[in-house]
Structure formats: structure tokens, C-alpha cells
Amino acid sequence: MNWVLDNLDLIGALTVDHLRQSAVAILAGFVLSIPLGWLAFRYTKLRGTVLTVVGLLYTIPSFALFALLTLFGVPYLGELNLVIALTIYAVAIMTRSVTEGLASVDPVTRSAAVAVGFGAWRRFWTVDFPLSGPVVLAGLRVTAMSTVSLATVGALIGVENLGYLFTNGAQRRIIAEVFAGVLAVVVIALIIDGLLIVAGRLLMPWTRRTSPPRSARLRVVTA
């Protein structure tokens, strides 16, 4: 406990770095997964291939992926390598969620939008994508948790984030340091998850559960 109190500045700085790296990867992965998910949904013959390829990306070990990225000119030791790798993992999870979300939209609703004159672009952004929101949000929450956790491996390639507390604490056998890192990662994950839930409720008010009016409930009870 004394170690934590004496190193609050270090923990705070590493937490900010960890949050920034994770947030960039989550946002980039989300944006990139939208066209890929739409492609897999729109062209059924390509769906299996697209989803299989992006799914395989998640099976690549992080150290192997770091090394592979250097073939494209990305420095091995550095934050850029970590963020790109995290983005790839995020795309691997989110693409399937976007595809499944679009597939969950009622075909009748989609046909109605076409009937009133909605073009493909307008229909996607005003009908298909909003109605796929609950499924996409569920995938985004999983992606966020995974990204925050995976970001800790960045400490092994010279990236400053909460993973440093794990490696340094293990090497110096300071249990409090390792525990502080674990707790900070969990807190970041919970905060991001909470923000996503709030954002989902604000952006998708139609998904909120509504209870019947009190008068209606009384009629049911007294009937």
C-alpha cells in the first residue's frame, strides 16, 4: 500500500497513456469494421471469406503481429506498433458484430425504406445502421474490454502504459505494483464500458425498456 501512495503520479501518468492508446485503437477498429461488416453483409458469397479472414487476425500472437508490422515499415519498439496491432484485433472482433447487426434488421423495415424512396446510402445511415445498433454496441463493448486488456503487452516492446507496472513489479517482486496495475486496467475497462452504455442509451432511445403506465398496472392488479 505504501508503494501505491508513493507512486500515484506514476500510476496516473501510465493510466492516461494506457487510456489514450486503447481509445485510439477502439475508435479506429470501429470505423474500419463498418465497411468490412457491410461488405460481408451485402455480398453473401464473400461473407464467409471476409469473416474468416478477419477472425484469423485475432489468432495471431501479439509478438508475431508486432514483428509482421515491421515489414510495412512500422518500428518494432514504439507506441505506433502497439496501436496498429490493437486496431487489427479490434477489427477482427467488430467486423462480425457489424455484419450480424445489419443482418438482424427486419427486412420489412428495410423494404419500407426502399419503398418511400431511400437510396442505399441514406437507408444505411438512417435505417440499417441505427437499427443494428444494439448488436454493434454489444460487440463494441467486448472489443473495448479486449483492447484495454491487450494493451498491457505494449510494455514488452518499450511502450509506456500500465503494462509497465506488471513487468517492473514482477521483476522487483513488488506485489503492490502489480496489483495497482491490475486495478487500474479494470477501472479503465469499467469506465469505458459505462460510457458506451450511456452513449448507447442516448443515441438509441428506442432500445430503452419502458414499463406500462401506473394506471394500467393498477387495472391489471384489480381485474
Side-chain angles (χ1 to χ4, degrees):
M1 189 63 182
N2 290 335
W3 185 95
V4 174
L5 295 176
D6 293 338
N7 292 273
L8 288 177
D9 292 342
L10 173 63
I11 297 173
L14 294 176
T15 299
V16 171
D17 290 337
H18 196 102
L19 180 59
R20 185 189 70 255
Q21 295 157 8
S22 300
V24 171
I26 293 169
L27 179 59
F30 173 66
V31 172
L32 292 173
S33 68
I34 294 175
L36 288 174
W38 176 85
L39 183 68
F41 164 74
R42 178 67 177 79
Y43 301 99
T44 54
K45 292 183 179 180
L46 295 176
R47 183 175 303 177
T49 301
V50 172
L51 294 181
T52 299
V53 170
V54 297
L56 288 175
L57 293 175
Y58 198 80
T59 66
I60 302 175
S62 56
F63 288 114
L65 185 54
F66 293 149
L68 288 173
L69 289 175
T70 61
L71 300 177
F72 299 93
V74 179
Y76 183 78
L77 301 177
E79 186 173 305
L80 180 61
N81 198 353
L82 174 65
V83 172
I84 293 177
L86 292 177
T87 300
I88 291 174
Y89 288 135
V91 169
I93 299 175
M94 279 303 305
T95 299
R96 181 175 292 275
S97 296
V98 172
T99 302
E100 293 177 350
L102 293 173
S104 70
V105 177
D106 189 349
V108 175
T109 303
R110 188 177 288 113
S111 299
V114 174
V116 297
F118 280 27
W121 182 261
R122 183 183 179 190
R123 189 187 72 229
F124 177 81
W125 290 111
T126 61
V127 178
D128 292 347
F129 194 63
L131 292 180
S132 69
V135 177
V136 174
L137 177 60
L140 185 58
R141 292 175 62 189
V142 173
T143 301
M145 301 299 101
S146 174
T147 302
V148 171
S149 176
L150 286 172
T152 57
V153 301
L156 301 178
I157 58 170
V159 178
E160 291 187 357
N161 62 24
L162 291 171
Y164 169 82
L165 299 181
F166 298 165
T167 57
N168 189 64
Q171 292 172 357
R172 300 172 61 190
R173 297 184 181 180
I174 303 177
I175 303 302
E177 184 175 2
V178 177
F179 179 77
V182 172
L183 183 60
V185 170
V186 171
V187 170
I188 289 178
L190 291 176
I191 289 175
I192 293 179
D193 189 58
L195 291 175
L196 290 175
I197 292 174
V198 172
R201 291 177 178 175
L202 293 176
L203 297 174
M204 298 180 291
W206 59 87
T207 62
R208 300 175 187 171
R209 294 182 179 179
T210 57
S211 57
R214 183 171 182 273
S215 58
R217 295 199 299 271
L218 289 176
R219 287 197 297 271
V220 172
V221 172
T222 57

